[in-house]
Amino acid sequence: MKYLLVEDNPELANAVSSRLRLDGHSVDHAGKIEDARAFVAAGEYDLILLDIMLPDGDGRTFLKHHRAADNDTPVIVLTARSQVSDRISMLDLGADDYVTKPFDHAELEARCRAVLRRKNGSSRSVKTMGDVEFDAVGGHLRVKGQALELRNRELRLLEVLMNAPGQVFSKQKLVDRLFSYDDDVSENAIEVYVGRLRKHLEGSAVQIKTLRGLGYRLDHDG
């Protein structure tokens, strides 16, 4: 998954980013509303973690404009405000959830997973397609009942593809989804990860097909 973290506290931003990256997620960090708007305009995110008190304004203003632009990317607000009225106002503005500072990183990660499951219309993290069972949270893949191990990037690539079966993803689109702007990677990296995933899926009803000049698509036979 690709996250945008909007937080002006460098220590907290580094801690949150590091935890998410350990699980193979890519994270872009914006310390100001202006930077956050530039990131959103330039790329696509699965989830936004939004601080409220920022150097150039109130995060609620960003949230309000975000929803007014019909952007449905989920937003979890990170706030030091514990008043019920404050939390209600953020939810009314379009926040999907909120976490009160200081927070436990495990709780934040759990709330991220819950929000993403709701967005994908599921209450479970396990997805089944034919004889393939995939748990993005636990990092488990079963092909025809056999448990296989995935590296972090392979895990997140399969997560992207399984969340949108039948959709065509260009190499550049996959680079954007799997890596942050600070990562110096080429489209060749995608070919490597796709090749590894194909080996894992060999013999199953699920295939990653190449569409010449377009990209890749996850298909299910039967």
Side-chain angles (χ1 to χ4, degrees):
M1 291 293 178
K2 187 166 187 177
Y3 290 75
L4 174 61
L5 172 62
V6 188
E7 169 62 59
D8 67 323
N9 183 313
E11 291 184 1
L12 179 58
N14 287 336
V16 171
S17 297
S18 296
R19 284 290 294 257
L20 292 172
R21 286 171 180 148
L22 278 175
D23 286 332
H25 302 292
S26 63
V27 184
D28 285 325
H29 171 230
K32 299 185 297 182
I33 292 176
E34 179 184 2
D35 296 337
R37 287 174 176 162
F39 275 122
V40 170
E44 184 177 335
Y45 295 92
D46 295 295
L47 182 63
I48 297 173
L49 301 175
L50 176 66
D51 186 22
I52 292 300
M53 303 302 292
L54 294 161
D56 56 344
D58 193 315
R60 287 173 295 189
T61 302
F62 171 86
L63 177 59
K64 183 177 180 180
H65 291 162
H66 184 70
R67 294 301 183 223
D70 289 330
N71 193 319
D72 64 352
T73 304
V75 176
I76 295 179
V77 171
L78 310 178
T79 177
R81 299 178 178 181
S82 58
Q83 294 293 323
V84 173
S85 58
D86 288 323
R87 300 198 297 267
I88 290 174
S89 69
M90 286 180 279
L91 293 171
D92 284 342
L93 282 173
D96 295 87
D97 201 353
Y98 61 85
V99 178
T100 304
K101 298 178 181 179
F103 52 78
D104 182 87
H105 289 282
E107 179 189 359
L108 175 62
E109 291 167 341
R111 287 181 179 271
C112 289
R113 293 193 296 267
V115 166
L116 289 168
R117 285 198 301 270
R118 290 200 297 270
K119 182 189 178 186
N120 293 324
S122 173
S123 60
R124 301 173 67 240
S125 62
V126 178
K127 292 183 178 292
T128 302
M129 184 180 292
D131 51 8
V132 172
E133 185 179 279
F134 175 59
D135 181 357
V137 174
H140 306 304
L141 172 66
R142 287 186 175 274
V143 177
K144 303 177 83 170
Q146 180 181 358
L148 302 173
E149 296 230 357
L150 297 179
R151 299 178 183 179
N152 276 340
R153 295 293 187 192
E154 297 164 12
L155 172 68
R156 297 311 164 197
L157 174 58
L158 185 56
E159 185 177 17
V160 169
L161 295 175
M162 287 200 74
N163 280 338
Q167 181 176 327
V168 179
F169 289 90
S170 67
K171 290 179 184 178
Q172 185 56 54
K173 180 81 167 179
L174 291 173
V175 168
D176 292 341
R177 295 297 299 276
L178 295 175
F179 298 93
S180 67
Y181 281 105
D182 293 334
D183 293 322
D184 184 17
V185 295
S186 71
E187 295 181 359
N188 292 336
I190 299 300
E191 295 180 12
V192 172
Y193 296 127
V194 167
R196 290 175 182 169
L197 278 183
R198 281 176 169 156
K199 288 182 179 179
H200 289 309
L201 297 172
E202 274 181 1
S204 76
V206 177
Q207 301 177 3
I208 302 175
K209 294 190 175 178
T210 300
L211 283 76
R212 198 171 192 83
L214 297 176
Y216 302 104
R217 182 181 69 204
L218 191 71
D219 283 349
H220 171 219
D221 295 332

